[in-house]
Amino acid sequence: MTPTRLLSLALVTPALAVVLVLFVYPLGFSLASAFEPPGGGFGFANFIKAFELYDKDILFTPVLIALSTAIIALVSVAIGGYLTLGGNPVAVAVLAWLYRWPLFVPFIVAAQCMRTFLAKNGLMNNGLVSMGLLDTEQTVGFLDWRGIVATFVWKQTPFVALMVAGAMASLDRSTIDAARNLGASRLRILIEILVPQIRGTLMVGLILSFVTMMSVLSVPLMLSGAAPNLLTVDMAYRINAQGDYGVANALGFISYLMTGIVGWIYLRRSLEERTR
């Protein structure tokens, strides 16, 4: 073996060891433990118990994450489209400066901000009352699934919008100028010219956001105390309150399955596009 190859292996080994010890081994142990009943052996008792206790949450989690992902897609495309096609330079500059700020806010801080903003006596309702748009008795809190969706959209939209805006900015503007010369509106240019060309980048951003939101604990824990809730809250409860690692690992396996299905759909579409 040449010295260059030995040096390469020496540089890669620490990083590989960290991945194996801190990610691969815990992941494999969790997946194997999900199929280990309390009495030992192999079985599906943990999954049966997980569905008996948390069937609504198992359905609620992908629906809520998918809803958040869809809204993120719409808002990100709108931001990227305006940054690319906007006619007011000042508005474009302000939007380009503002939309990235939530990127630097951790999820737990975002949840606390939304909790302060969306509560029944929060900033939003107090502002509406002070403007005379609502009476105090008419105020409603949004500390439930609506608050979770709002927080996810606020936090993850900049990440996807940054990728979408960059992809749109790199496109050949001759097609945009040609469409404008033919009288196409900005909305039509966005939908029929820009979005089809950056569809791959948009899909990558949305899948990464979907996986990220599936793993967030602080947001559902702080914004929604009532059932149904996300699976991360159920896993934390089974471990911290019950010491039930078997059911928690079964719920984790179901979460892996959900994210795996999304990843498989993306890979399948990517392969189909490459073979065309």
Side-chain angles (χ1 to χ4, degrees), residues 2 7 20-21 58 69 116 159 165 167 206 215 228 254 261 263-264 276:
T2 63
L7 179 61
L20 291 175
V21 173
I58 292 172
T69 305
T116 305
F159 172 73
L206 294 178
S215 64
I254 295 169
I261 291 172
W264 177 79
R276 288 175 185 172

Side-chain angles (χ1 to χ4, degrees), residues 1-2 35 37 41 58 69 96 104 107 125 145 150 156 163 165 173 176 200 204 214 225 233 240 245 251:
M1 187 174 291
T2 63
F35 294 93
I58 292 172
T69 305
F104 306 99
F107 271 106
N125 283 325
W145 66 270
Q156 284 302 115
M163 298 176 66
R173 293 192 67 87
I176 300 173
V204 171
M214 282 290 298
V233 177
N240 297 329
Y245 284 87
L251 293 171

Side-chain angles (χ1 to χ4, degrees), residues 90-157:
V90 176
V92 171
V94 172
L95 179 61
W97 183 72
L98 280 178
Y99 86 90
R100 307 175 190 179
W101 280 100
L103 274 176
F104 306 99
V105 180
F107 271 106
I108 190 169
V109 178
Q112 180 58 33
C113 292
M114 283 295 177
R115 188 174 179 83
T116 305
F117 183 73
L118 298 175
K120 183 176 175 61
N121 296 317
L123 292 174
M124 182 183 70
N125 283 325
N126 287 338
L128 295 174
V129 170
S130 63
M131 289 187 289
L133 299 176
L134 282 179
D135 293 330
T136 305
E137 294 76 14
Q138 295 176 316
T139 57
V140 177
F142 291 90
L143 300 182
D144 49 23
W145 66 270
R146 294 169 294 185
I148 297 175
V149 171
T151 307
F152 280 158
V153 171
W154 182 72
K155 181 69 180 69
Q156 284 302 115
T157 293

